[in-house]
Structure formats: C-alpha cells, structure tokens
Amino acid sequence: GAVVSQHPSRVICKSGTSVKIECRSLDFQATTMFWYRQFPKQSLMLMATSNEGSKATYEQGVEKDKFLINHASLTLSTLTVTSAHPEDSSFYICSARDGTRLREQYFGPGTRLTVT
Amino acid sequence: GEDVEQSLFLSVREGDSSVINCTYTDSSSTYLYWYKQEPGAGLQLLTYIFSNMDMKQDQRLTVLLNKKDKHLSLRIADTQTGDSAIYFCAETPGGGADGLTFGKGTHLIIQP
C-alpha cells in the first residue's frame, strides 16, 4: 500500500518550452501533496504544498508563475515547469499525505528534467 | 531557518550495527523521520517519531531522540548488504501537515 507514481521518469526539453509532471497516489486518497526539488548530492528542498481543490502554497523563493501546480483530484497533482531554462534542470520529487495517516508522507520515484 | 545535518558517509561491516546520526535546529519540530533511498528508487519511509518520545523500535530499527540536544539517531541492527542506501533524516514542525525539511543524507556503505 501507499504507492505514489510519477510520470514521466525522465524528460528532456528545449529551453523555452513547458513540461508537465504528474504525481499520482495509486492506492490511497491524498488530501495534500508536496513537490520537492533535489540537486545532485543535495537534500530535497520543498517547493510547494498543494491541497486538493485549493491553490498551492509556495515556499519562499519559488516562482509560482514558473512552477504551476494543480491538484484537481484526491489522487493527482501536476507540476508544470513553464518556459524552462537550463537552470531548471533537476530532479523533481512529489510526495503525498494519506488522509487517514496524517503523519506519513509517501514519495514518488522522481522525475529527472533536463533542459537543453 | 531550519537546518538538518547529517554525516555524508558511514561505513560498517556486514553483521555489525549501523548508527546514523542527525542533528536539527528547529525547536518546534514535532515529528522526525527517517527515509531510505536506494539507487534509482524513490524515498521509502522507514519510521518516524513524535517529539515527546525518546525511543521507537521497529524490528531491526531503533530510533533514539534527544530533544534537549536536538539529536536523532537511527540504529540498524545486524546490517545486511540490502541496507546499503542513502538515509535521510527529516523533520516537520507542523504536526505532519507541512512539508519536510531534509538533511543531505548519509550514504551507508556495507563492507563484506
């Protein structure tokens, strides 16, 4: 149980284009999903928190117009990197909080984004 | 801001106990977590502890929390080759409702 998937696992895009990453909770309902970013040999950094049906809350320094987050259902959240630049290249990881086990966050396998 | 610190590497012999340490600065931390990340895989929740607890044991895993010193440790008994991974310490102040602040991870290396 408590499986979170992400799609795609890897994506390469050209500078200036937009990329959408999906995060799904497969066997539970996720009232809250989180998006993190991980640079090589660094820890995960929280980007934003999204609650189903409401606007995402962004961490300081994260541009909300650049990283669009939608949490339209209890099992799906999407992160769209708009007008991507090479410095956006990173490992993006989502996590989901089970509405019945509020203290536990389950992580997806991550998406490797490379912007050329 | 909040900070979570871990050693980057720990090398132990197979069959020995591994002790991975973590320190944090946020005095309002309510839940502290240990995650395991194997190569090419996502983070796997190993265990977590509430800040009013000193210890939690789950099979081969023992978590010790010294809230006064803001020190958390994870002990893995009888370390096996399958335990080779990066172990992340994380904390949250918000009763689990907020995102997590992570350390950089400790790479556990198992010697035969």
Side-chain angles (χ1 to χ4, degrees):
Chain A
V3 178
V4 177
S5 71
Q6 279 185 243
H7 177 80
S9 57
R10 292 175 183 269
V11 59
I12 300 172
C13 71
K14 291 187 176 180
S15 195
T17 62
S18 296
V19 173
K20 181 184 284 188
I21 302 169
E22 292 186 349
C23 175
R24 292 182 186 273
S25 57
L26 298 185
D27 52 2
F28 66 96
Q29 293 189 326
T31 52
T32 306
M33 286 184 169
F34 303 89
W35 287 94
Y36 295 82
R37 185 172 177 175
Q38 185 180 27
F39 290 104
K41 297 188 184 348
Q42 298 292 320
S43 63
L44 284 76
M45 299 298 294
L46 179 66
M47 298 175 66
T49 302
S50 75
N51 292 295
E52 186 264 339
S54 62
K55 289 185 178 180
T57 302
Y58 291 80
E59 295 298 301
Q60 192 172 6
V62 178
E63 300 174 57
K64 63 179 181 179
D65 294 331
K66 181 166 187 60
F67 298 100
L68 301 179
I69 292 172
N70 184 285
H71 191 165
S73 78
L74 285 171
T75 59
L76 173 65
S77 176
T78 60
L79 168 69
T80 302
V81 183
T82 63
S83 187
H85 288 99
E87 57 264 32
D88 298 324
S89 297
S90 189
F91 196 53
Y92 292 87
I93 305 173
C94 73
S95 73
R97 187 167 68 101
D98 187 332
T100 62
R101 291 177 286 187
L102 298 178
R103 311 308 176 203
E104 300 174 10
Q105 286 188 29
Y106 298 95
F107 283 77
T111 297
R112 173 73 62 193
L113 170 63
T114 303
V115 184
T116 60
Chain B
E2 304 113 12
D3 198 17
V4 178
E5 297 287 342
Q6 301 177 242
S7 298
L8 293 182
F9 294 95
L10 175 66
S11 179
V12 298
R13 295 184 66 158
E14 189 174 359
D16 289 350
S17 292
S18 305
V19 180
I20 302 170
N21 295 300
C22 170
T23 59
Y24 59 98
T25 58
D26 189 355
S27 58
S28 64
S29 297
T30 54
Y31 286 90
L32 295 117
Y33 299 79
W34 285 104
Y35 282 86
K36 177 183 180 182
Q37 185 179 38
E38 295 179 89
L43 276 76
Q44 173 193 353
L45 176 61
L46 288 178
T47 186
Y48 63 96
I49 189 169
F50 185 47
S51 58
N52 70 350
M53 298 170 63
D54 298 325
M55 185 181 84
K56 182 178 181 181
Q57 188 157 2
D58 183 3
Q59 299 181 345
R60 290 193 298 125
L61 305 179
T62 302
V63 178
L64 295 178
L65 175 61
N66 182 327
K67 193 175 180 181
K68 174 176 172 289
D69 294 339
K70 298 190 183 70
H71 182 268
L72 182 75
S73 68
L74 174 69
R75 179 177 179 268
I76 305 172
D78 187 24
T79 307
Q80 302 298 310
T81 55
D83 295 323
S84 179
I86 300 175
Y87 291 81
F88 289 92
C89 170
E91 62 89 19
T92 182
D98 298 331
L100 304 179
T101 298
F102 282 85
K104 291 185 178 180
T106 298
H107 192 172
L108 180 60
I109 300 164
I110 315 300
Q111 299 173 8

